[in-house]
Amino acid sequence: MLRTALRNVLAHKARLIMTALAVLLGVAFVSGTLVFADTTANAFRTASAQSLKGVAVSVRAEEATDTDAAGGEEATATDTAGGEDGRRTSVLDNALARKIGRLPGVASVRPTVNGEATLAAKDGRPVDADNNGQSLATNYLPGQDGKDGHFPLKEGRGPVAAGELALDARTAERAGYRIGDTVRFAIDGPALVKKLVGIVSSDDPRVTAGGTLTLFDTRTAQQLFLHPGQFDEIAVAAKDGTDESALTDQVQVLLPKKGARATSGTDLAAEQSAQIVKNTRSLTKTLLVFAGIALFVGVFLIANTFTMLIAQRSREIALMRAVGASRRQVVRSVLIEAALLGLVASVAGFALGLGIATAMRPLLNTTGAGLPDGPLVITPAAPLSSLAVGVLVTVLAAWLPSRKAAKIAPVAALSSVDQAPAARALVFRNVLGALLTGAGVLVMLYVSTLRTSAESNLMVAMLGSALTLVGVIVLAPLLSRPLITLAGKVTTRFFGVSGKLAKENALRNPRRTAATASALMIGLALITGLTVGGHSAQRAMANEATQGLAADYKVTNSTTRGLDTDAADKVARVPGVAAAAPVTSAGLDTRGRYGVITGTDPKAFGKAAQLDFRAGSLRDIGPGRIAVSDEFADQAGLGVGDTIDADMATGMDTGKAPKKKLTVVGIYAKIRAADDALGTLTDVLPYAGSKQLENVLVKAEPGKAAGLERKIRAALGDSPLLKVRSQEQLINENNGAITTVLNMLYGLLGMAVVIAILGVVNTLAMSVFERTREIGMLRAIGLDRSGIKQMIRLESVVISLFGAVLGIGTGIFLAWAGGGLTTSSMQEYETVLPWERLGTFLALALMIGVLAAIWPARRAARLNTLQSIQPS
């Protein structure tokens, strides 16, 4: 039986190639994900180890720490406010560094200052930090040779004076700076300028993945971020033979009782390693989910292939049974054949997976993932897991066909090449499918009533989606008859005999047609669900970003400091500006209801925003007089003329908030730009968190909006921290993350669609072989080669469109039912169907059907008529 299995693999290699490709692609995804995960974790560990190289003890402040496991560095501050100048305060100072340096066993100490500096490029525009906006800044600490070994120089020298700085090579290249240029940057206010005297290299992954790095001399860094003589961290290097744990205890004794902590280099590395595993686990799980989807789709192709092969080899199996082969031996032969196919395809898939793993890092970094460089890492678990998954999936997919082969009676098999499936089996399948689909639909209808995206709700939604998809797959043979019959009326009307034959061929074996279409259905259902959900979310975010906004530009600061209180006045004097409305906000608690009150200049706000007043008007707002939104009025029981003693606060905690007497003079339909209440700037500004403006809404004069951005920036000092965005830019910024995620998910789901296409090609090719005599008879009675090709093409198109209709319909339902989970975070969310994209998916299915039929149709048309009709 082993020799028989080997012979069958070699004899049917052409027919099995599509199945092998499906296994290959699925395994490639699995192996690529596993190798990518190992490679990424190793790269993070390497970068972390590099940053901790020679560090026996790290002394850092305990409060307000921000650990970044990717870079192995930690920006630390004990007081984020610091003082009136906005600088932070730290308990780590020069005196402490000198004490630590005098300890026995200490080789050296490296005190560092960490902060952020946003750069302007040479053309004046801010340099965006691709890695989540990390604009790193620290001190350059030269040794006796005048160089800092932590930042090797590539050009020039290190900064030594207040008017100098250095940049890493990637940052300098992106910004267009060369040695001697004047560099503009900002810390937390107006733009500063310093001369570029050095260009260094850095292996910090936050920099290599797209962040920026600016270096100052130690005194200047302290003046910018801390106070003279203070540091964020003190890294301690030990002499050879020094016990690291004992040294850590000695250092801890020297530290103040509060505000600082000593950690050994070993413990710090362990902490960062654990954080790295945590950070990469979610990405790995996500990629493996899509690999599982690809393999699940491949199961249909594999099962379909072996079912058809067994039907075509029924005479051979009957002969084997007649000469003494048992049912168990027949099953074993088919499973061995499947295992061999899975093994060969898995080996090739693992090799392809290495290429996928190599390409994944730069691809994800284009989306701002911030993954560090590193060599490809292949652990024994990756190839073993990939091979096991590929072989196991192939064997499981072939198990049911092998049992079917073993049950064929020798005489019945010798007298009939193919038999229709038993009616009882289809009845049982239909009942099971109806139960699964009904259960899935009920769960999803329950999900549609939920309004939060809590983890438990997401799990329920995933369960409902899985039940619905599986149920539709099981019901597909039943659904195929009415849908394909309807499509057949169109093909018959426009293509005559070829169209009618295509319909009959698709209906001949509903199980095979359903299995072929289901593979495409799964891919399109998931893509449609993502598209509808993503499009609806983008529409909601676009509405929220510009709701009630008539302004042409919105000016903000990229830090929490906000804008100066006179920013609106400066912008209003810019030629071409019709109105500049200052905006800030504070907490408002009255009658047991908490809300947010927006402070502004009502007259300018009326030009920059569109308010629909239910009662009163903007002109009624003044000192001590506010308008409230209709929602807040209903919640708090407020009406025009009511006087309230409001607790004014900068946050939700209003226990000690100051009281302010306010009179309600208007009620308006709530918009995002106006929050729950609207008052004057003088009433709200004293209670704002930063005591600064949050933004300025700018309305341009008719025809003057173009080019106004540069003038506004210039009027406000042209700080790199300034953001001057049009309505279109606000929408794009809000939707950017969703678009990036959708594009990545499309790419991942594309693998499932490719496998589905292979399934259509394989099914048609094997169906042509199965119907050789039938095609020969059609040729003999007058159907020409073009008619044969057309028949095969139409059959392929009908099957593809059947799968597309099922997939798109199921995807729309799942997106609608699951959409309510986003309501808590996006109040404007409602399901919106992107008809153009859905039409594109149908056109794609049509194209898939046409392309998938090219090879099978040519093969059918080339069959020799006389040889085809001869009995085998």
Side-chain angles (χ1 to χ4, degrees), residues 596-598 605 611 629 668-678:
V596 177
I597 182 170
T598 297
F605 193 79
L611 283 176
S629 71
Y668 57 88
K670 184 176 180 179
I671 61 173
R672 186 178 184 182
D675 292 316
D676 300 299
L678 189 65

Side-chain angles (χ1 to χ4, degrees), residues 60-101:
R60 304 182 181 191
E62 290 181 325
E63 292 85 4
T65 59
D66 182 18
T67 304
D68 189 334
E73 296 186 6
E74 189 172 272
T76 311
T78 58
D79 183 0
T80 54
E84 294 182 358
D85 57 4
R87 291 183 294 175
R88 296 175 280 114
T89 300
S90 172
V91 299
L92 307 182
D93 55 20
N94 285 316
L96 180 61
R98 287 192 294 269
K99 287 181 182 179
I100 295 174

Side-chain angles (χ1 to χ4, degrees), residues 637-652:
L638 296 174
V640 173
D642 289 349
T643 299
I644 58 175
D645 288 324
D647 290 336
M648 306 294 290
T650 58
M652 291 295 294

Side-chain angles (χ1 to χ4, degrees), residues 496-520:
V497 175
S498 297
K500 185 175 183 180
L501 289 172
K503 180 198 73 172
E504 296 299 329
N505 289 335
L507 291 174
R508 179 177 302 178
N509 192 330
R511 282 182 166 179
R512 180 190 304 163
T513 298
T516 305
S518 293
L520 184 60

